[in-house]
Amino acid sequence: MSELKTIKTDEEISPVKIKKNKGCLKHSLYEWLTLLSSLFVPLVVGILTVVLPLQQQNISDHQNENSKAIALNNRLQDLKLLQDQQKQVILNTFEHDLCNLLLKYKTVKIYNDTSSSSSPRDDDDDDDNEIKEDDNDDERISFIIRTKTLHALRQLDPARKILLIQLLIDSGIQKRISISRADLSSLIFPPGSFYNQFRFVNVVARDIKLKNVYLYQSNFSYSILDDSSFYESNCSYADFSHASLQRTDWTNTDVTQAIFNFSNLLGAKITSQQLATVHSLQGAILPNGSTAII
Ligand SMILES: *[C@@H]1O[C@H](CO)[C@@H](O)[C@H](O)[C@H]1NC(C)=O
Ligand SMILES: *[C@@H]1O[C@H](CO)[C@@H](O)[C@H](O)[C@H]1NC(C)=O
Ligand SMILES: *[C@@H]1O[C@H](CO)[C@@H](O)[C@H](O)[C@H]1NC(C)=O
Ligand SMILES: *[C@@H]1O[C@H](CO)[C@@H](O)[C@H](O)[C@H]1NC(C)=O
Ligand SMILES: *[C@@H]1O[C@H](CO)[C@@H](O)[C@H](O)[C@H]1NC(C)=O
């Protein structure tokens, strides 16, 4: 019914309007408006549906910038805490494993237990084999400890690296295993420590602080110790052969009878009075760049 009505009204109006607007591409103004509005509205709606959410996003972004920064900061702190806990777990696991492995050593007992080694003297070959087997077992244990040590050292932070080294020293295993090629750079050892006969051979340890540390008879040969400090430490009878000691600080350090053969002391803070007390400087590069003959 309504359709019929509209058709009728169109027929009624059209003759008048067509006559008036014939010049304009044979379409009525109404038709143009209808066309434009039918195009314009969806277009505007389409643009708005895209633009408005973006604008709102921008506004909310600005509003939430602070809270987001705070959330990120919290998350970073959580991650830090988690990493810290993981490192503690690594250190604790290492300590636990070390204790278990130390109990497995055999030669300490054999070498010290004179009664047991002297009583079964029936067969010398058997005894020798036993000792050799035990030596092999002990070598294997040392190898495992060394592997675990290097693995743990790689994952730990400087503070825990020191704790790990302290564990090695306290357990006496430090003299038995080599931690060569470990990276121990930038470690700060607690002043006043006693590390006599400390083995620090063939390690990378740039910029370490060994201040006021007792290092009597310690061995630093073949290590890279550039920019490190031995300030006020006791390095008497220590071995620094073939070590790189560029720009190291030896202020008030006792270097009596220390061995510096083929070491590099270029730019090091060490007095000629101190150098006069050392055991040997054969082939060493002196602070001023000249090479020592004796
Ligand atoms: C084991 O023997 C070594 C020397 O052979 C000695 O210095 C050490 O004190 C002995 N250890 C024990 C627990 O007897
Ligand atoms: C220091 O260690 C090196 C390498 O293990 C060794 O050759 C040297 O004899 C040691 N120095 C001393 C004084 O024991
Ligand atoms: C360094 O240690 C040695 C051996 O214990 C000692 O004889 C010497 O007096 C010490 N040096 C200093 C400056 O205390
Ligand atoms: C470098 O230093 C040493 C010891 O301090 C000294 O004997 C030598 O003459 C110096 N060489 C030069 C070129 O200054
Ligand atoms: C260092 O050099 C001296 C001679 O200058 C020598 O007697 C000594 O054996 C050397 N030490 C080492 C560990 O090579």
Side-chain angles (χ1 to χ4, degrees):
M1 285 292 276
S2 59
E3 279 177 29
L4 279 171
K5 264 187 184 173
T6 50
I7 289 163
K8 269 184 185 173
T9 49
D10 272 2
E11 277 175 341
E12 280 165 11
I13 297 160
S14 57
V16 189
K17 295 239 164 166
I18 286 164
K19 272 174 190 171
K20 273 186 181 175
N21 300 307
K22 268 273 157 139
C24 189
L25 294 166
K26 292 177 183 177
H27 286 290
S28 69
L29 177 67
Y30 176 79
E31 278 174 317
W32 272 108
L33 282 175
T34 316
L35 181 69
L36 275 177
S37 64
S38 65
L39 281 175
F40 185 71
V41 172
L43 194 70
V44 167
V45 170
I47 289 168
L48 285 181
T49 50
V50 174
V51 170
L52 273 181
L54 281 178
Q55 230 164 8
Q56 275 176 336
Q57 186 73 41
N58 273 349
I59 290 160
S60 64
D61 274 1
H62 274 293
Q63 282 173 339
N64 291 340
E65 214 165 71
N66 276 331
S67 59
K68 271 186 182 173
I70 289 164
L72 191 70
N73 201 34
N74 284 346
R75 197 153 158 66
L76 280 175
Q77 272 179 343
D78 284 352
L79 274 172
K80 244 180 158 179
L81 201 70
L82 194 72
Q83 278 183 329
D84 203 58
Q85 283 170 347
Q86 278 176 337
K87 279 169 185 161
Q88 191 57 43
V89 167
I90 290 165
L91 184 63
N92 291 352
T93 309
F94 176 80
E95 185 176 0
H96 181 256
D97 291 353
L98 180 67
C99 290
N100 284 340
L101 284 162
L102 286 174
L103 293 172
K104 293 190 172 143
Y105 272 115
K106 287 172 183 172
T107 47
V108 179
K109 257 187 188 170
I110 288 209
Y111 290 149
N112 278 34
D113 202 347
T114 41
S115 59
S116 73
S117 64
S118 56
S119 54
R121 271 276 161 95
D122 330 344
D123 207 331
D124 273 319
D125 285 4
D126 260 26
D127 245 20
D128 278 359
N129 278 341
E130 215 170 85
I131 286 168
K132 268 177 196 164
E133 263 177 38
D134 288 341
D135 275 349
N136 278 341
D137 280 352
D138 283 358
E139 261 175 48
R140 218 170 297 144
I141 294 163
S142 292
F143 178 75
I144 294 166
I145 292 175
R146 180 181 135 78
T147 308
K148 280 182 181 288
T149 302
L150 293 179
H151 187 65
L153 278 174
R154 267 195 294 274
Q155 297 176 82
L156 293 178
D157 52 320
R160 289 191 178 87
K161 277 183 186 179
I162 300 248
L163 290 175
L164 189 150
I165 290 168
Q166 194 68 52
L167 270 175
L168 297 178
I169 292 167
D170 292 346
S171 64
I173 195 68
Q174 224 260 320
K175 294 185 180 94
R176 212 157 173 163
I177 64 156
S178 143
I179 49 167
S180 62
R181 288 186 292 283
D183 189 353
L184 303 168
S185 294
S186 308
L187 297 189
I188 300 165
F189 290 85
S193 301
F194 280 80
Y195 294 152
N196 53 318
Q197 296 183 340
F198 189 36
R199 268 186 68 81
F200 223 61
V201 176
N202 195 17
V203 296
V204 178
R206 289 188 178 90
D207 191 32
I208 58 163
K209 305 272 177 292
L210 276 161
K211 292 185 182 179
N212 192 20
V213 175
Y214 186 73
L215 294 162
Y216 175 69
Q217 280 189 341
S218 291
N219 197 332
F220 291 90
S221 54
Y222 298 96
S223 289
I224 296 166
L225 298 156
D226 296 341
D227 303 295
S228 296
S229 176
F230 295 91
Y231 181 85
E232 286 192 347
S233 287
N234 191 335
C235 295
S236 55
Y237 294 87
D239 189 353
F240 292 94
S241 307
H242 299 271
S244 187
L245 301 162
Q246 296 182 70
R247 300 171 300 278
T248 40
D249 187 1
W250 302 85
T251 310
N252 296 332
T253 309
D254 186 354
V255 287
T256 311
Q257 293 299 309
I259 303 160
F260 284 92
N261 294 355
F262 303 101
S263 66
N264 186 351
L265 282 162
L266 188 66
K269 270 171 78 178
I270 190 163
T271 64
S272 39
Q273 286 97 316
Q274 281 174 304
L275 288 175
T277 67
V278 305
H279 176 263
S280 50
L281 272 168
Q282 192 185 40
I285 297 168
L286 298 173
N288 61 13
S290 63
T291 304
I293 300 145
I294 303 160

